Amino acid sequence: MATADLLLHPVRMRILQALFDADPLTTTQLRDRLPDIAPATMYRHIALLTDAGVLEVAGETRVRGIMVRSYRVRAEKAVVDPAARAAMTQDDHRRAFTAFVASLLTDFERYLGLEDADPTSDGVVYRQAAVYLSDDEFAAMIEEIERAVVARVGHAPGDGRTRRIVSLVVLPDKSATEPRPASVAE
């Protein structure tokens, strides 16, 4: 398992996202998908992810005398260890969440920049809901969501399928559950 600093860097998040549930890609193919990332930056972050075991070399091919590697994500390594997450400070969480949100914004801007982007017909969804749940009910809900997503991860491209990015953010709203202080007038 990797550290939050390793996985939640904005460039590395985008590289991982491009590789999740995709055929192995070469650095050139990744650069085609992420053209705003400078080549040297791309190579540096791929090396960091590979050295950490988050990416693995899926194949090597010699092209005009140069060894070209294709990479894939090692899903079991592309998660922040629960102990490492528990050791994160509030500032660590703030930085990690900022990187996560920045990645979402970049993905959304890239999508909206497409000539044929149509959020309504493309099924773009962003919404919030408030639910009151016990810890056990909350754990069951998260497990249901994860099970629903994981059950669909292996679907192959084609057959009218569109690759969709599913993100989940859950925040407690403690202000709604804590007793309100008595006012002076009461």
Side-chain angles (χ1 to χ4, degrees):
M1 297 210 187
T3 66
D5 283 342
L6 178 75
L7 294 178
L8 296 175
H9 183 281
V11 171
R12 291 189 288 268
M13 280 181 70
R14 291 183 60 211
I15 291 168
L16 291 171
Q17 189 178 65
L19 286 165
F20 276 133
D21 200 35
D23 289 334
L25 300 173
T26 66
T27 304
T28 301
Q29 291 168 320
L30 280 166
R31 286 181 41 224
D32 289 344
R33 289 188 181 194
L34 306 168
D36 57 311
I37 299 174
T41 301
M42 178 74 73
Y43 284 106
R44 184 174 65 250
H45 289 289
I46 288 173
L48 284 168
L49 289 165
T50 303
D51 290 346
V54 176
L55 294 183
E56 67 181 353
V57 176
E60 295 180 325
T61 308
R62 192 163 294 283
V63 178
R64 293 184 298 272
I66 298 172
M67 188 60 69
V68 176
R69 292 180 178 90
S70 58
Y71 298 90
R72 71 174 152 236
V73 176
R74 295 181 62 200
E76 73 280 3
K77 298 285 188 174
V79 294
V80 178
D81 179 275
R85 191 173 51 230
M88 291 170 63
T89 67
Q90 286 186 349
D91 281 341
D92 292 336
H93 282 285
R94 190 173 286 113
R95 281 190 300 278
F97 188 75
T98 300
F100 176 78
V101 170
S103 176
L104 288 176
L105 288 171
T106 300
D107 291 338
F108 194 63
E109 280 300 319
R110 187 174 39 255
Y111 163 73
L112 290 176
L114 297 173
E115 208 170 287
D116 63 343
D118 182 351
T120 303
S121 67
D122 290 339
V124 173
V125 177
Y126 43 91
R127 63 175 65 128
Q128 284 184 314
V131 293
Y132 287 88
L133 302 170
S134 69
D135 289 347
D136 289 342
E137 292 167 330
F138 174 69
M141 182 187 76
I142 295 298
E143 187 176 312
E144 288 171 27
I145 293 168
E146 288 178 349
R147 205 173 26 247
V149 172
V150 169
R152 290 158 177 85
V153 166
H155 289 182
D159 297 328
R161 290 187 174 125
T162 299
R163 186 172 190 252
R164 300 176 193 276
I165 308 294
V166 178
S167 302
L168 175 64
V169 176
V170 178
L171 300 171
D173 183 8
K174 292 191 175 195
S175 65
T177 59
E178 294 175 357
R180 297 178 185 209
S183 69
V184 177
E186 290 181 288

